[in-house]
Each structure stands twice: as structure tokens, then as C-alpha cells.
Amino acid sequence: MSKPGRNDPCYCGSGKKYKQCHLREDRAKERELREQANAARFLRLDLPRFAREERFVDDYNKALPIYWNDYYNEENAGEMSQFEALRFLDWFIFDYSLENGHRILDVYFEEEGDSLKASEKRLLETWVDAPPGGAYELLGYDGQLLHLQNHYTKENTDVFEAGGRGNVEVGELILARLVPVADHFEFSTVAAYLPADEIAGLSEKLEAAREADAEKHPE
């Protein structure tokens, strides 16, 4: 729906001019959306910077073979592509437990939270509770809005992605973490995807991995 002119009738049907009705409210919403988009852009840059501080180097090196199942480690970490490095850092920041049981994300919130802009801190507070990454089937799309279904829980979610669906076809899986930004969800960082011919048996593998992890870590 296109926005009416200042002196046009308001879209709500009140009979008032737009400037006398919803103009101020709509501008406030637009300002909030811009602030949240800028906050998300900042956090996506600043969190990886924080995670690469010298004090986290040992944890970084320990986490590499865990995430990559020994494919990458301290010795060959430089061979990761940019996308691989970003996906690893996302997991390292959001999911990896440091020796004290905290995550990088928790430490960042505790140490940097009070120095952030109000919009950045509000967004960070929602990201602290973001769920783990998952596999999402692409059900369809409308431009930059992707209609996804969690492959494991079958829950449907719409996600805004500036680059659209990229190379992913309907029915294939996107591997990503969803985080709230303003009034919608986005990917926390770059996403990977599984083509249709690699999806067979994935649900069974996920369930087996969940059961094995629950048995190994009953707490």
C-alpha cells in the first residue's frame, strides 16, 4: 500500500487528512525500524570484533574442531572461507560455553551493554534469548520475505532477507539462526543451505543426534 500524501484522506477511513491522523504515528514507526536496522548492522559487526579479543583465543581454538567436527582446527583455521568463518563465529558467540559457563554473548552484554545506544541494547536483550540455529525448509517467498518451516518442529516463520532467497529453491533447506529485528525475523549472519538431494534422512539424523546428546548430557 502506497503512503498517502499529507493532505490526502487517511488510509484508516477516519475521514481526516493523513497529516491530522496517522502521519505522526507512521513516522515514529519508520524511525524505530531504521534504528533497529542500524542496531542490527552494528551488532553484527561488533560482536565478532569482541569475540576475537585476545582473551578468547584459547576458547576459539578449542571451539573450532567442535563446530567443524575436526575438519578445521587451530592449525588450518586460516583456510576457512569468509562465509565459513562468519557461521563459526555466530555459533561461537551465541552457543559456545566458556569455562565459567557463560557465552561470549553474555559477556558482551555484561561488559558492553551500558555503553551501547538504547536501540542497540534493546535489540541485544532480545538476541540473548535467541534460539539455536536450525534447518528451515523454504516453502515460498515474496521478494525479500521468505516463508520458512522448521524442518524439525514444523513451525512456520516468515523471515526478511535483504538478498532474497539467493540460490535456494523451494523445498530446499536453509541452515541459519533466526533473530528478531524490529517487527520481523532475520538471519543472525550468513546462512548455508542444503540442496534437495542432500536432505534425505536428515530428520532421523537430527533425532538421533538429539537423543545421543541427551544421553551424554542428561543435565
Side-chain angles (χ1 to χ4, degrees), residues 10-27:
C10 187
Y11 56 77
C12 71
S14 66
K16 297 180 181 179
K17 292 182 179 181
Y18 180 53
K19 67 181 180 182
Q20 297 170 331
C21 196
H22 274 84
L23 175 60
R24 182 175 298 178
E25 180 180 333
D26 288 350
R27 283 183 172 174

Side-chain angles (χ1 to χ4, degrees), residues 121-201:
K121 187 172 183 179
R122 286 199 306 272
L123 187 61
L124 181 61
E125 287 173 342
T126 67
W127 286 16
V128 166
D129 296 322
Y136 298 90
E137 180 181 349
L138 179 64
L139 300 179
Y141 54 92
D142 298 303
Q144 296 171 310
L145 188 66
L146 309 183
H147 308 303
L148 306 181
Q149 182 179 80
N150 187 298
H151 188 68
Y152 189 72
T153 67
K154 305 305 179 184
E155 180 181 359
N156 292 347
T157 308
D158 288 340
V159 177
F160 174 82
E161 168 54 35
R165 66 182 177 89
N167 296 324
V168 186
E169 301 292 342
V170 172
E172 296 184 332
L173 295 184
I174 295 173
L175 309 178
R177 182 194 315 276
L178 308 186
V179 292
V181 178
D183 59 352
H184 59 269
F185 286 97
E186 296 183 7
F187 299 138
S188 58
T189 186
V190 294
Y193 81 99
L194 289 178
D197 59 359
E198 295 184 18
I199 296 173

Side-chain angles (χ1 to χ4, degrees), residues 5-219:
R6 289 174 53 84
N7 293 310
D8 292 337
C10 187
Y11 56 77
C12 71
S14 66
K16 297 180 181 179
K17 292 182 179 181
Y18 180 53
K19 67 181 180 182
Q20 297 170 331
C21 196
H22 274 84
L23 175 60
R24 182 175 298 178
E25 180 180 333
D26 288 350
R27 283 183 172 174
K29 289 180 180 178
E30 291 171 358
R31 184 166 56 251
E32 174 65 16
L33 289 175
R34 285 195 301 272
E35 289 178 352
Q36 288 287 286
N38 290 335
R41 191 176 301 113
F42 172 79
L43 291 177
R44 287 186 176 111
L45 292 173
D46 205 48
L47 281 166
R49 173 206 61 79
F50 185 81
R52 295 305 301 268
E53 288 187 357
E54 184 69 25
R55 56 179 161 157
F56 300 125
V57 168
D58 287 343
D59 287 291
Y60 183 94
N61 291 334
K62 291 177 184 177
L64 273 167
I66 297 174
Y67 181 80
W68 291 113
N69 198 27
D70 292 322
Y71 186 78
Y72 289 118
N73 53 46
E74 179 181 357
E75 301 299 324
N76 64 357
E79 298 177 13
M80 285 190 293
S81 70
Q82 181 182 15
F83 285 168
E84 288 175 329
L86 286 172
R87 281 161 37 213
F88 166 72
L89 276 171
D90 180 84
W91 174 81
F92 182 55
I93 292 166
F94 279 84
D95 299 317
Y96 180 79
S97 292
L98 304 171
E99 288 189 0
N100 60 8
H102 294 171
R103 301 170 299 165
I104 298 287
L105 190 64
D106 301 321
V107 179
Y108 180 85
F109 183 83
E110 293 170 3
E111 296 184 3
E112 305 287 328
D114 289 340
S115 65
L116 299 176
K117 294 180 180 178
S119 58
E120 295 164 354
K121 187 172 183 179
R122 286 199 306 272
L123 187 61
L124 181 61
E125 287 173 342
T126 67
W127 286 16
V128 166
D129 296 322
Y136 298 90
E137 180 181 349
L138 179 64
L139 300 179
Y141 54 92
D142 298 303
Q144 296 171 310
L145 188 66
L146 309 183
H147 308 303
L148 306 181
Q149 182 179 80
N150 187 298
H151 188 68
Y152 189 72
T153 67
K154 305 305 179 184
E155 180 181 359
N156 292 347
T157 308
D158 288 340
V159 177
F160 174 82
E161 168 54 35
R165 66 182 177 89
N167 296 324
V168 186
E169 301 292 342
V170 172
E172 296 184 332
L173 295 184
I174 295 173
L175 309 178
R177 182 194 315 276
L178 308 186
V179 292
V181 178
D183 59 352
H184 59 269
F185 286 97
E186 296 183 7
F187 299 138
S188 58
T189 186
V190 294
Y193 81 99
L194 289 178
D197 59 359
E198 295 184 18
I199 296 173
L202 180 60
S203 294
E204 291 76 11
K205 291 177 182 177
L206 286 170
E207 179 60 23
R210 187 195 66 78
E211 292 178 355
D213 184 70
E215 182 177 348
K216 185 176 180 179
H217 305 286
E219 72 282 1

